[in-house]
């Protein structure tokens, strides 16, 4: 099983939690971890070496220049690194025909070999999707279905043959009016329903700010979406403990919660705490 992560320096620690959870729950099947990033430090390389020594897994790192995507739309919790997954299939080895892409703000909480072994011969990707109405209209889709791009099993051969990444970049550049949710919107616009819709257990979405969670006992991948993340000190949700439990087993185990960086973030943090307290007080 070969897995892909794409991130920048800001998400190195969170990749550490995600990849540690992946390794601990998939040691028998995982062979290679591919990393697409802008630039690595000696500190990051030393942590990768620690993972290698313990897990006996190959880590392949591809440093890229992100000039092609650096001016694309970003947000408070989404940087230009989110667009690296559009470039990755053309960077990975040509002989590789399939890859499982994982976001770095998730935890793999069980074996994902079943997901990796899905037959993609008739699809571009496999992902967890849902039926949409307003999004279909906004993106001018033919399909009724839209997928979350945090967990994607990619048919690399088909992706490359159809120039999916380049088409996505063209959409983002030429039709910014369509794009609200970054490269995820672009992927859905270009793929337009040609994906294998997988079970929710492979990408169980958890929005800590809104208090919405798809996670349950069957969830193999738990994905922390939205602006509130488990590593922020103003996150008081009990669900954050899953992230910290795996981070403490990683080379990033000495990390502490993220603090607000400016007055604007302080105000956002206070608002988030009040929102969470309201959710926690709700009767279950």
């Amino acid at each position: 099983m070969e897995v892909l992560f794409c991130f920048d320096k800001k998400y190195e620690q969170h990749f550490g939690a995600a990849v540690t959870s992946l390794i601990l729950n998939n040691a028998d099947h995982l062979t290679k971890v591919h990393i697409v990033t802008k630039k690595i430090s000696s500190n990051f390389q030393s942590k990768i070496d620690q993972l290698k020594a313990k897990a006996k897994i190959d880590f392949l790192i591809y440093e890229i220049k992100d000039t092609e995507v650096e001016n694309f739309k970003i947000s408070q919790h989404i940087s230009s690194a989110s667009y690296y997954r559009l470039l990755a299939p053309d960077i990975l080895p040509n002989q590789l025909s399939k890859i499982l892409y994982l976001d770095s703000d998730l935890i793999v909480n069980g074996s994902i070999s079943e997901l990796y072994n899905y037959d993609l011969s008739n699809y571009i990707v496999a992902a967890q999707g849902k039926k949409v109405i307003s999004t279909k209209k906004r993106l001018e889709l033919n399909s009724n279905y839209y997928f979350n791009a945090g967990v994607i099993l990619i048919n690399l051969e088909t992706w490359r043959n159809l120039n999916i990444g380049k088409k996505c970049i063209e959409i983002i550049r030429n039709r910014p009016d369509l794009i609200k949710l970054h490269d995820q919107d672009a992927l859905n616009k270009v793929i337009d329903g040609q994906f294998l819709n997988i079970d929710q257990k492979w990408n169980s979405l958890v929005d800590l700010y809104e208090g919405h969670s798809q996670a349950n006992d069957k969830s193999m991948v738990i994905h922390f979406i939205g602006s509130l993340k488990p590593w922020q000190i103003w996150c008081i949700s009990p669900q954050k403990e899953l992230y910290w439990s795996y981070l403490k087993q990683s080379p990033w185990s000495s990390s502490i919660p993220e603090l607000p960086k400016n007055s604007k973030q302080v105000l956002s943090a206070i608002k988030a705490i009040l929102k969470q307290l309201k959710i926690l007080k709700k009767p279950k």
Side-chain angles (χ1 to χ4, degrees):
M1 182 165 64
E2 300 195 31
V3 175
L4 167 68
F5 289 90
C6 303
F7 55 89
D8 56 15
K9 184 174 179 58
K10 184 180 176 183
Y11 263 66
E12 285 179 5
Q13 170 189 314
H14 317 316
F15 156 77
V19 77
T20 297
S21 70
L22 171 69
I23 292 167
L24 290 175
N25 290 298
N26 292 271
D28 294 340
H29 304 285
L30 186 63
T31 56
K32 292 180 182 177
V33 172
H34 300 261
I35 298 170
V36 174
T37 189
K38 192 171 182 179
K39 188 173 179 63
I40 64 164
S41 63
S42 56
N43 180 51
F44 179 73
Q45 184 62 60
S46 70
K47 286 178 167 57
I48 292 296
D49 292 340
Q50 291 176 52
L51 286 170
K52 277 184 185 178
K54 286 184 178 181
K56 303 292 188 292
I57 292 165
D58 288 333
F59 285 81
L60 294 91
I61 301 174
Y62 311 82
E63 291 185 320
I64 65 167
K65 293 180 179 178
D66 65 355
T67 50
E68 199 168 3
V69 300
E70 65 180 352
N71 294 319
F72 287 174
K73 178 182 177 180
I74 59 172
S75 67
Q76 182 181 339
H77 65 284
I78 295 182
S79 71
S80 59
S82 179
Y83 298 98
Y84 293 176
R85 60 185 150 193
L86 301 180
L87 309 174
D90 295 312
I91 296 169
L92 296 171
N94 284 332
Q95 67 271 22
L96 190 60
S97 62
K98 179 169 68 172
I99 196 82
L100 177 61
Y101 167 81
L102 298 176
D103 266 355
S104 297
D105 56 356
L106 55 73
I107 293 297
V108 179
N109 208 33
S111 172
I112 54 173
S113 59
E114 180 188 337
L115 168 60
Y116 187 80
N117 289 319
Y118 280 170
D119 181 8
L120 280 184
S121 54
N122 296 318
Y123 303 95
I124 302 169
V125 299
Q128 204 280 312
K130 63 178 182 179
K131 203 167 186 177
V132 291
I133 298 173
S134 59
T135 304
K136 176 181 178 177
K137 185 178 180 180
R138 176 172 64 83
L139 288 176
E140 302 169 4
L141 300 176
N142 293 312
S143 168
N144 293 320
Y145 287 86
Y146 180 97
F147 62 85
N148 178 278
V151 177
I152 322 173
L153 183 64
I154 304 172
N155 182 334
L156 289 171
E157 186 176 357
T158 303
W159 177 293
R160 290 164 179 153
N161 288 340
L162 295 176
N163 288 317
I164 298 299
K166 291 175 183 175
K167 288 177 181 175
C168 286
I169 288 171
E170 286 173 8
I171 288 284
I172 295 165
R173 187 175 290 129
N174 300 327
R175 292 294 309 275
D177 56 303
L178 287 182
I179 304 303
K180 181 181 177 183
L181 298 178
H182 312 89
D183 57 312
Q184 180 171 281
D185 272 355
L187 281 165
N188 274 277
K189 173 64 177 172
V190 172
I191 292 173
D192 201 356
Q194 296 179 60
F195 68 95
L196 175 62
N197 199 352
I198 59 176
D199 193 276
Q200 186 175 286
K201 71 179 181 179
W202 303 119
N203 189 9
S204 297
L205 307 181
V206 176
D207 188 329
L208 296 168
Y209 185 81
E210 295 296 340
H212 299 155
S213 177
Q214 297 175 343
N216 56 43
D217 292 343
K218 294 181 180 179
S219 297
M220 294 295 103
V221 178
I222 296 169
H223 184 189
F224 296 103
I225 62 168
S227 59
L228 183 63
K229 301 297 186 182
W231 54 81
Q232 295 168 325
I233 199 165
W234 56 95
C235 177
I236 59 174
S237 168
Q239 287 186 287
K240 71 178 182 179
E241 296 306 328
L242 183 65
Y243 167 86
W244 286 101
S245 68
Y246 282 107
L247 189 70
K248 292 302 181 186
Q249 298 176 75
S250 79
W252 287 262
S253 60
S254 62
S255 300
I256 61 172
E258 178 186 323
L259 299 171
K261 295 179 176 63
N262 51 52
S263 57
K264 184 179 178 181
Q265 204 168 54
V266 168
L267 291 173
S268 295
I270 293 169
K271 184 179 177 182
I273 290 171
L274 292 174
K275 174 93 171 177
Q276 292 170 85
L277 288 172
K278 190 176 179 181
I279 291 167
L280 289 171
K281 286 178 181 176
K282 279 184 179 180
K284 294 182 180 179

